Amino acid sequence: GSDTAGMGGKAGPYRLDRGHDVHQISDEAKKNVSKEAAEAAKKMGKEAFEKRLKEIEMGDEDYALYKKLLGTIEPEINTMRGILRRVEAASRERVWLKGTEGEIDDNKIVDAKAGETTVFRRRADKKPQPGVQIKPKRLVFLFDVSASMYRFNGLDGRLRCSMEC
């Protein structure tokens, strides 16, 4: 729509998170989108969406089920994204190392006057904790696709729970 960051001026169908160039326009220009242009952009978006569904071999019913399942677990997805962002940020965290080189630590000025030699500090990458895996992790998912998953779903919801995972 015309109120979102799009590509191609007013009512552009593409978004920031897809790697396209962004063109900012004024709020007044956004309000002056013709009905024809808005409908054309909406049509382009719908065609691109249908093309993508066809590429991944997903029908309308499959997409409706996907949206339903996504809606039930979206808060957990957002929580997991936040956790992963914090872990990634912590892995790049830098710390102050105390020692005999670097810049003088303001809190150690009196110690320096008294003859202490380890009054300097410098920034360095945080060393990983012992036992923490640094290399990329590999996840393997195993799903039960036997007939019992469908047959007993009415009793305990096992298929629904598996699909939410």
Side-chain angles (χ1 to χ4, degrees):
S2 61
D3 286 336
T4 57
M7 182 180 109
K10 301 179 194 178
Y14 304 106
R15 300 293 166 250
L16 286 174
D17 63 343
R18 299 294 180 223
H20 301 288
D21 291 335
V22 177
H23 303 281
Q24 295 286 83
I25 60 174
S26 69
D27 289 335
E28 186 176 311
K30 292 177 189 177
K31 291 177 186 175
N32 293 328
V33 175
S34 68
K35 282 187 177 184
E36 296 82 21
E39 288 174 11
K42 191 173 185 177
K43 183 180 177 187
M44 282 176 60
K46 187 174 182 179
E47 288 172 357
F49 175 72
E50 289 172 355
K51 179 182 175 190
R52 180 65 182 142
L53 286 181
K54 189 177 278 189
E55 286 174 4
I56 61 173
E57 298 176 5
M58 182 181 275
D60 291 336
E61 291 177 7
D62 294 331
Y63 180 71
L65 178 61
Y66 167 77
K67 289 298 283 183
K68 180 182 173 189
L69 291 170
L70 179 64
T72 61
I73 61 170
E74 202 159 17
E76 289 84 359
I77 291 171
N78 291 332
T79 300
M80 183 60 76
R81 284 182 178 153
I83 290 168
L84 293 174
R85 278 191 207 106
R86 285 190 294 277
V87 167
E88 185 179 6
S91 70
R92 294 187 308 254
E93 187 176 332
R94 294 173 53 97
V95 294
W96 284 106
L97 296 179
K98 299 178 188 301
T100 57
E101 51 185 50
E103 63 183 59
I104 192 157
D105 187 348
D106 294 339
N107 298 324
K108 302 271 185 169
I109 292 176
V110 173
D111 295 341
K113 186 69 175 166
E116 179 69 38
T117 58
T118 58
V119 294
F120 296 95
R121 65 182 184 168
R122 62 185 170 86
R123 297 286 275 172
D125 292 330
K126 185 177 181 180
K127 291 183 180 178
Q129 296 176 353
V132 174
Q133 183 177 356
I134 298 172
K135 294 182 179 181
K137 285 87 176 155
R138 179 175 293 159
L139 298 176
V140 177
F141 296 95
L142 176 67
F143 290 96
D144 183 354
V145 293
S146 65
S148 65
M149 291 295 288
Y150 177 78
R151 186 175 191 291
F152 295 110
N153 187 50
L155 295 174
D156 57 10
R158 62 180 69 182
L159 181 61
R160 181 187 47 78
C161 288
S162 178
M163 288 172 31
E164 287 177 355
C165 288

